[in-house]
Amino acid sequence: CANDHTCYFKAEGNKSIGFIKVGHKKLFVRTRSNQLVEMSPLCVLDFYVDAKVQRGGFGKLLFDSMLEYE
């Protein structure tokens, strides 16, 4: 991961199950008064769970663990 990104990995033994990468990203959003405001919220930048174990709850485990830490 880049210096300003954080990666969380799930593995079982020597097999990788999945990962989630988060970091701050510069975004421009419109206010209710139609003004553009720049902000840098924490965003999910990349998310992957191996196809062989999808629908097994590993994505939720990764996401919940990231939320707990962040």
Side-chain angles (χ1 to χ4, degrees):
C1 282
N3 289 342
D4 57 343
H5 298 159
T6 304
C7 291
Y8 299 89
F9 295 91
K10 170 70 175 151
E12 290 185 353
N14 63 352
K15 184 177 179 180
S16 176
I17 300 295
F19 71 90
I20 187 170
K21 179 171 69 169
V22 297
H24 291 275
K25 187 171 182 176
K26 189 184 298 186
L27 300 174
F28 293 89
V29 295
R30 286 205 185 271
T31 65
R32 291 178 190 225
S33 61
N34 211 27
Q35 294 178 331
L36 278 178
V37 176
E38 182 178 344
M39 55 190 315
S40 295
L42 184 66
C43 300
V44 173
L45 303 172
D46 205 358
F47 187 71
Y48 171 79
V49 175
D50 188 285
K52 295 176 186 173
V53 295
Q54 286 180 0
R55 303 208 186 284
F58 293 109
K60 181 169 176 16
L61 177 70
L62 275 165
F63 199 87
D64 289 345
S65 297
M66 176 274 299
L67 286 177
E68 186 176 322
Y69 185 81
E70 294 295 331

